[in-house]
Amino acid sequence: MFLRTGLTAALVTLGLVAGPAAADDHILTISGPGLPAAGVHLTMDEIEALPQTTFTTKTVWTEGPHEFKGVALKTLLESTGTKGTAVKARALNAYVATIPLDEVAADAPIVATRIDGEHFPRREKGPLWIVYPYDRDASYQTETAYGRSIWQLESLHVE
Ligand SMILES: Nc1nc2c(c(=O)[nH]1)N[C@H]1C(S)=C(S)[C@@H](COP(=O)(O)O)O[C@H]1N2
Ligand SMILES: [Mo]
């Protein structure tokens, strides 16, 4: 029984057997005051079930204007119930940027899950990318905003 369970778990981990809510399904961890120490883990579906924000902008990393869609960072953090003064965002490459929460607007930045309606892979800065509507405001065309434009986002830690 134990062996069978262990084997099934191993196959699920390897992606060879579909399991209910396999750890692999989780693409983002959010931690902070009021949340479990290990944080809460979200799937793409859960992120996309939150209210979505869409804007079209050029970026310094892409060519021409594109439509970015995702959940506003503020909405995402509020959905977990955690509260703090800053969020530390970490990428798969271990890059970390700290964003003061009083500089996070209701509609910007967003954690983008779709570009022109499509999910985008790691090699195209996905599957999660913190994006600002750069074209909308000069304050978004700064090194500060660029440094907070974290692609391949892996976790958010509120403190
Ligand atoms: N995942 C990830 N996002 C990141 C970075 C990084 O190293 N990894 N660097 C940040 C910084 S400090 C800046 S200024 C811009 C740099 O973009 P560039 O390397 O295309 O100039 O991306 C930001 N987003
Ligand atoms: Mo930077």
Side-chain angles (χ1 to χ4, degrees), residues 31-34 77 81-87 99-102 157-159:
S31 55
L77 294 176
T82 189
K83 283 196 169 69
T85 58
V87 59
I99 308 175
L101 288 176
D102 62 3
H157 178 70
V158 172
E159 51 193 21

PDB file of all heavy atoms in Angstrom, residues 31-34 77 81-87 99-102 157-159:
ATOM      1  N   SER A  31       3.703  34.588   0.160  1.00  0.00           N
ATOM      2  CA  SER A  31       3.869  34.463   1.608  1.00  0.00           C
ATOM      3  C   SER A  31       3.829  35.848   2.230  1.00  0.00           C
ATOM      4  O   SER A  31       4.002  36.857   1.550  1.00  0.00           O
ATOM      5  CB  SER A  31       5.183  33.751   1.933  1.00  0.00           C
ATOM      6  OG  SER A  31       6.268  34.424   1.312  1.00  0.00           O
ATOM      7  N   GLY A  32       3.601  35.857   3.540  1.00  0.00           N
ATOM      8  CA  GLY A  32       3.540  37.138   4.246  1.00  0.00           C
ATOM      9  C   GLY A  32       2.723  37.018   5.509  1.00  0.00           C
ATOM     10  O   GLY A  32       2.209  35.932   5.822  1.00  0.00           O
ATOM     11  N   PRO A  33       2.596  38.140   6.242  1.00  0.00           N
ATOM     12  CA  PRO A  33       1.859  38.146   7.499  1.00  0.00           C
ATOM     13  C   PRO A  33       0.456  37.575   7.334  1.00  0.00           C
ATOM     14  O   PRO A  33      -0.250  37.928   6.388  1.00  0.00           O
ATOM     15  CB  PRO A  33       1.804  39.638   7.867  1.00  0.00           C
ATOM     16  CG  PRO A  33       2.998  40.241   7.187  1.00  0.00           C
ATOM     17  CD  PRO A  33       3.162  39.463   5.911  1.00  0.00           C
ATOM     18  N   GLY A  34       0.097  36.652   8.235  1.00  0.00           N
ATOM     19  CA  GLY A  34      -1.242  36.075   8.216  1.00  0.00           C
ATOM     20  C   GLY A  34      -1.365  34.837   7.341  1.00  0.00           C
ATOM     21  O   GLY A  34      -2.397  34.169   7.352  1.00  0.00           O
ATOM     22  N   LEU A  77      -2.421  40.325  -4.290  1.00  0.00           N
ATOM     23  CA  LEU A  77      -1.981  40.281  -2.895  1.00  0.00           C
ATOM     24  C   LEU A  77      -3.185  40.368  -1.959  1.00  0.00           C
ATOM     25  O   LEU A  77      -3.257  39.631  -0.964  1.00  0.00           O
ATOM     26  CB  LEU A  77      -0.978  41.401  -2.617  1.00  0.00           C
ATOM     27  CG  LEU A  77       0.350  41.272  -3.370  1.00  0.00           C
ATOM     28  CD1 LEU A  77       1.236  42.479  -3.101  1.00  0.00           C
ATOM     29  CD2 LEU A  77       1.080  39.981  -3.004  1.00  0.00           C
ATOM     30  N   GLY A  81      -5.251  38.033   1.517  1.00  0.00           N
ATOM     31  CA  GLY A  81      -5.523  38.574   2.846  1.00  0.00           C
ATOM     32  C   GLY A  81      -4.285  39.043   3.579  1.00  0.00           C
ATOM     33  O   GLY A  81      -4.375  39.572   4.684  1.00  0.00           O
ATOM     34  N   THR A  82      -3.100  38.882   2.994  1.00  0.00           N
ATOM     35  CA  THR A  82      -1.888  39.323   3.687  1.00  0.00           C
ATOM     36  C   THR A  82      -1.764  40.847   3.610  1.00  0.00           C
ATOM     37  O   THR A  82      -2.279  41.482   2.684  1.00  0.00           O
ATOM     38  CB  THR A  82      -0.626  38.642   3.101  1.00  0.00           C
ATOM     39  OG1 THR A  82       0.487  38.946   3.951  1.00  0.00           O
ATOM     40  CG2 THR A  82      -0.332  39.119   1.700  1.00  0.00           C
ATOM     41  N   LYS A  83      -1.085  41.407   4.592  1.00  0.00           N
ATOM     42  CA  LYS A  83      -0.919  42.865   4.641  1.00  0.00           C
ATOM     43  C   LYS A  83       0.509  43.212   5.028  1.00  0.00           C
ATOM     44  O   LYS A  83       1.119  42.531   5.833  1.00  0.00           O
ATOM     45  CB  LYS A  83      -1.876  43.465   5.680  1.00  0.00           C
ATOM     46  CG  LYS A  83      -3.320  43.554   5.211  1.00  0.00           C
ATOM     47  CD  LYS A  83      -4.110  44.510   6.105  1.00  0.00           C
ATOM     48  CE  LYS A  83      -5.467  44.823   5.514  1.00  0.00           C
ATOM     49  NZ  LYS A  83      -6.368  43.652   5.536  1.00  0.00           N
ATOM     50  N   GLY A  84       1.044  44.288   4.431  1.00  0.00           N
ATOM     51  CA  GLY A  84       2.395  44.711   4.755  1.00  0.00           C
ATOM     52  C   GLY A  84       2.706  46.017   4.070  1.00  0.00           C
ATOM     53  O   GLY A  84       1.806  46.689   3.555  1.00  0.00           O
ATOM     54  N   THR A  85       3.990  46.367   4.043  1.00  0.00           N
ATOM     55  CA  THR A  85       4.379  47.650   3.455  1.00  0.00           C
ATOM     56  C   THR A  85       5.166  47.492   2.157  1.00  0.00           C
ATOM     57  O   THR A  85       5.335  48.462   1.421  1.00  0.00           O
ATOM     58  CB  THR A  85       5.233  48.469   4.443  1.00  0.00           C
ATOM     59  OG1 THR A  85       6.382  47.688   4.789  1.00  0.00           O
ATOM     60  CG2 THR A  85       4.443  48.804   5.703  1.00  0.00           C
ATOM     61  N   ALA A  86       5.656  46.279   1.898  1.00  0.00           N
ATOM     62  CA  ALA A  86       6.426  46.063   0.671  1.00  0.00           C
ATOM     63  C   ALA A  86       6.286  44.614   0.236  1.00  0.00           C
ATOM     64  O   ALA A  86       5.986  43.732   1.046  1.00  0.00           O
ATOM     65  CB  ALA A  86       7.903  46.392   0.908  1.00  0.00           C
ATOM     66  N   VAL A  87       6.493  44.394  -1.052  1.00  0.00           N
ATOM     67  CA  VAL A  87       6.477  43.020  -1.548  1.00  0.00           C
ATOM     68  C   VAL A  87       7.814  42.738  -2.224  1.00  0.00           C
ATOM     69  O   VAL A  87       8.318  43.535  -3.015  1.00  0.00           O
ATOM     70  CB  VAL A  87       5.284  42.749  -2.498  1.00  0.00           C
ATOM     71  CG1 VAL A  87       5.291  43.664  -3.717  1.00  0.00           C
ATOM     72  CG2 VAL A  87       5.255  41.275  -2.930  1.00  0.00           C
ATOM     73  N   ILE A  99       9.212  45.962  -4.010  1.00  0.00           N
ATOM     74  CA  ILE A  99       8.296  47.006  -4.470  1.00  0.00           C
ATOM     75  C   ILE A  99       7.502  47.517  -3.270  1.00  0.00           C
ATOM     76  O   ILE A  99       6.768  46.746  -2.640  1.00  0.00           O
ATOM     77  CB  ILE A  99       7.318  46.459  -5.537  1.00  0.00           C
ATOM     78  CG1 ILE A  99       8.088  45.761  -6.672  1.00  0.00           C
ATOM     79  CG2 ILE A  99       6.423  47.574  -6.068  1.00  0.00           C
ATOM     80  CD1 ILE A  99       7.188  45.083  -7.703  1.00  0.00           C
ATOM     81  N   PRO A 100       7.651  48.819  -2.914  1.00  0.00           N
ATOM     82  CA  PRO A 100       6.852  49.370  -1.815  1.00  0.00           C
ATOM     83  C   PRO A 100       5.372  49.325  -2.183  1.00  0.00           C
ATOM     84  O   PRO A 100       5.005  49.691  -3.308  1.00  0.00           O
ATOM     85  CB  PRO A 100       7.340  50.824  -1.702  1.00  0.00           C
ATOM     86  CG  PRO A 100       8.609  50.878  -2.483  1.00  0.00           C
ATOM     87  CD  PRO A 100       8.519  49.819  -3.535  1.00  0.00           C
ATOM     88  N   LEU A 101       4.526  48.878  -1.256  1.00  0.00           N
ATOM     89  CA  LEU A 101       3.119  48.709  -1.611  1.00  0.00           C
ATOM     90  C   LEU A 101       2.402  50.038  -1.820  1.00  0.00           C
ATOM     91  O   LEU A 101       1.404  50.084  -2.532  1.00  0.00           O
ATOM     92  CB  LEU A 101       2.415  47.839  -0.555  1.00  0.00           C
ATOM     93  CG  LEU A 101       2.836  46.372  -0.647  1.00  0.00           C
ATOM     94  CD1 LEU A 101       2.219  45.543   0.469  1.00  0.00           C
ATOM     95  CD2 LEU A 101       2.457  45.771  -2.008  1.00  0.00           C
ATOM     96  N   ASP A 102       2.948  51.134  -1.245  1.00  0.00           N
ATOM     97  CA  ASP A 102       2.291  52.421  -1.520  1.00  0.00           C
ATOM     98  C   ASP A 102       2.627  52.938  -2.920  1.00  0.00           C
ATOM     99  O   ASP A 102       2.124  53.973  -3.351  1.00  0.00           O
ATOM    100  CB  ASP A 102       2.606  53.461  -0.432  1.00  0.00           C
ATOM    101  CG  ASP A 102       4.082  53.797  -0.339  1.00  0.00           C
ATOM    102  OD1 ASP A 102       4.869  53.263  -1.153  1.00  0.00           O
ATOM    103  OD2 ASP A 102       4.453  54.594   0.543  1.00  0.00           O
ATOM    104  N   HIS A 157       6.726  37.818  -1.649  1.00  0.00           N
ATOM    105  CA  HIS A 157       6.755  37.785  -0.189  1.00  0.00           C
ATOM    106  C   HIS A 157       6.461  39.177   0.362  1.00  0.00           C
ATOM    107  O   HIS A 157       7.208  40.126   0.107  1.00  0.00           O
ATOM    108  CB  HIS A 157       8.109  37.288   0.317  1.00  0.00           C
ATOM    109  CG  HIS A 157       8.212  37.289   1.802  1.00  0.00           C
ATOM    110  ND1 HIS A 157       7.502  36.405   2.592  1.00  0.00           N
ATOM    111  CD2 HIS A 157       8.896  38.095   2.651  1.00  0.00           C
ATOM    112  CE1 HIS A 157       7.758  36.672   3.859  1.00  0.00           C
ATOM    113  NE2 HIS A 157       8.610  37.685   3.922  1.00  0.00           N
ATOM    114  N   VAL A 158       5.370  39.279   1.094  1.00  0.00           N
ATOM    115  CA  VAL A 158       4.975  40.565   1.673  1.00  0.00           C
ATOM    116  C   VAL A 158       5.628  40.700   3.037  1.00  0.00           C
ATOM    117  O   VAL A 158       5.709  39.750   3.816  1.00  0.00           O
ATOM    118  CB  VAL A 158       3.431  40.671   1.774  1.00  0.00           C
ATOM    119  CG1 VAL A 158       3.019  41.922   2.557  1.00  0.00           C
ATOM    120  CG2 VAL A 158       2.818  40.673   0.375  1.00  0.00           C
ATOM    121  N   GLU A 159       6.125  41.892   3.332  1.00  0.00           N
ATOM    122  CA  GLU A 159       6.735  42.113   4.654  1.00  0.00           C
ATOM    123  C   GLU A 159       6.430  43.505   5.146  1.00  0.00           C
ATOM    124  O   GLU A 159       5.874  44.317   4.432  1.00  0.00           O
ATOM    125  CB  GLU A 159       8.252  41.879   4.602  1.00  0.00           C
ATOM    126  CG  GLU A 159       8.932  42.615   3.499  1.00  0.00           C
ATOM    127  CD  GLU A 159      10.367  42.135   3.252  1.00  0.00           C
ATOM    128  OE1 GLU A 159      10.711  41.014   3.632  1.00  0.00           O
ATOM    129  OE2 GLU A 159      11.114  42.909   2.668  1.00  0.00           O
TER     130      GLU A 159
END
